Amino acid sequence: PSITTRTYAERAAKHPVPVAKQLLDICDRKKTNLCVSVDVTSKAGLLRIAEAAGPYCCCIKTHIDIVEDFDRDLVQQLQALADKHDFLIWEDRKFADIGSTVRLQYSSGIYKIASWAHITNAHLVPGEGILTGLASVGLPLGRGLLLLAEMSAKGNLATGEYTAKNVEAARRHPEFVMGFVAMRRVDEREETAGGVAPGEGADYVIMTPGVGLDSKGDGMGQQYRTPDEVIRESGCDVIIVGRGIYGGGDGNPNEEIVKQCKRYQEAGWKAYEDRLRQ
Ligand code: 5BU
């Protein structure tokens, strides 16, 4: 049977990366495959939205370098919210340098990402040294990495052979690479092409941006699909929703955030249940 017919709980029980196990367990426990992306520029806004969205999501995705008044207290409060509401934190840093440099970018500087983000992600453009560099910091801390095998934006270059190379590289780092940012089940296509029975290989968590129920794009290249297209049709595991929930700018009022979270949580979960029945 294919990975897409297994439940999050079944997959959690067998996953080799502790953070992937944690994430899949949260999805099962809270009945949500929603990751809320919070792209706001103030500490207060980020914390307010994380507090409002926390009960409905498995993960909060940050871009910490856009926050104007970043301080250590911000990440401490975010960690406290993650504990309180049972979600993971993903810093969408998109590392893209040589191993020795990303190692410092991940561990040091103002943000010290590895000290608070359960998950981060990287481009494979520099080659596999980037995985060795990030793993040297992240593995001892029990962190997990997503490789950017595909992207959501129109005309992006993460396609074809490049996508396939991401899957191959992930297979060589099974203890650290927990999955992919991708638009479809990139791992299973690979397995089929290579003659390996689908589902018999490693299990990767596919987390998918470009999700919206009310809009098809943002005029700057973003392309939106529905939770059903992403989870059921394309076999991805987690929907990432940003502006569809927080509304852009400094963010919707809490009431609207909660309403949209419930809407996306419900749509994502229904798509998952429909997929299991397929
Ligand atoms: P939106 O408001 O739902 O469009 O926000 C999408 C978020 O996902 C935003 O933080 C992007 O940086 C992020 N993203 C994306 O949109 N597409 C991609 O391919 C990747 C990340 Br990788």
Side-chain angles (χ1 to χ4, degrees):
S2 139
I3 283 173
T4 54
T5 62
R6 291 191 218 148
T7 64
Y8 294 129
E10 284 162 356
R11 293 170 58 188
K14 290 187 181 168
H15 209 288
V17 181
V19 157
K21 188 187 280 291
Q22 245 180 301
L23 182 68
L24 292 164
D25 267 331
I26 294 172
C27 291
D28 176 63
R29 207 161 42 231
K30 292 172 73 176
K31 295 202 184 320
T32 182
N33 50 28
L34 171 64
C35 167
V36 179
S37 170
V38 192
D39 297 8
V40 296
T41 55
S42 73
K43 170 181 170 179
L46 175 49
L47 290 171
R48 176 181 70 83
I49 296 167
E51 167 79 272
Y56 311 99
C57 64
C58 58
C59 184
I60 293 276
K61 186 174 83 57
T62 57
H63 281 298
I64 208 67
D65 58 354
I66 67 176
V67 177
E68 304 266 7
D69 51 350
F70 173 87
D71 59 11
R72 276 321 277 176
D73 179 63
L74 166 54
V75 288
Q76 279 160 7
Q77 287 203 53
L78 196 57
Q79 284 177 302
L81 288 176
D83 287 341
K84 175 177 164 194
H85 293 300
D86 196 18
F87 62 77
L88 298 187
I89 307 168
W90 165 13
E91 165 56 21
D92 189 0
R93 172 62 178 74
K94 299 187 179 74
F95 289 102
D97 212 324
I98 60 168
S100 81
T101 301
V102 294
R103 177 193 173 126
L104 295 168
Q105 291 173 317
Y106 189 25
S107 63
S108 308
I110 293 172
Y111 301 119
K112 306 187 199 319
I113 293 165
S115 75
W116 53 270
H118 303 95
I119 301 170
T120 192
N121 51 353
H123 289 292
L124 194 63
V125 171
E128 277 180 55
I130 193 170
L131 300 183
T132 317
L134 291 171
S136 73
V137 175
L139 262 187
L141 295 169
R143 305 310 189 196
L145 186 80
L146 298 164
L147 271 173
L148 290 142
E150 292 183 326
M151 293 188 74
S152 63
K154 195 168 183 230
N156 79 80
L157 308 179
T159 61
E161 191 59 20
Y162 181 75
T163 300
K165 294 274 188 203
N166 275 267
V167 179
E168 287 167 25
R171 294 219 163 101
R172 286 189 282 271
H173 298 266
E175 62 310 309
F176 188 50
V177 180
M178 61 182 281
F180 305 98
V181 172
M183 303 297 119
R184 61 191 167 89
R185 200 80 238 164
V186 286
D187 51 341
E188 289 208 336
R189 286 237 182 131
E190 275 304 297
E191 280 171 7
T192 309
V196 181
E200 293 301 311
D203 180 340
Y204 294 106
V205 180
I206 310 266
M207 303 186 67
T208 308
V211 178
L213 283 164
D214 304 316
S215 152
K216 287 285 146 216
D218 67 354
M220 283 193 267
Q222 179 66 295
Q223 308 178 105
Y224 291 114
R225 294 184 297 164
T226 65
D228 185 68
E229 287 174 292
V230 168
I231 301 286
R232 187 186 57 78
E233 275 183 36
S234 305
C236 305
D237 298 314
V238 173
I239 53 170
I240 302 164
V241 185
R243 284 163 289 182
I245 286 174
Y246 74 83
D250 292 338
N252 284 323
N254 286 352
E255 206 179 78
E256 181 64 17
I257 289 168
V258 168
K259 182 178 147 196
Q260 293 302 332
C261 279
K262 287 181 175 168
R263 183 174 172 228
Y264 281 95
Q265 176 186 4
E266 210 168 287
W269 198 256
K270 179 176 187 306
Y272 162 70
E273 289 188 321
D274 289 346
R275 160 172 124 185
L276 289 176
R277 278 196 293 269
Q278 273 180 352

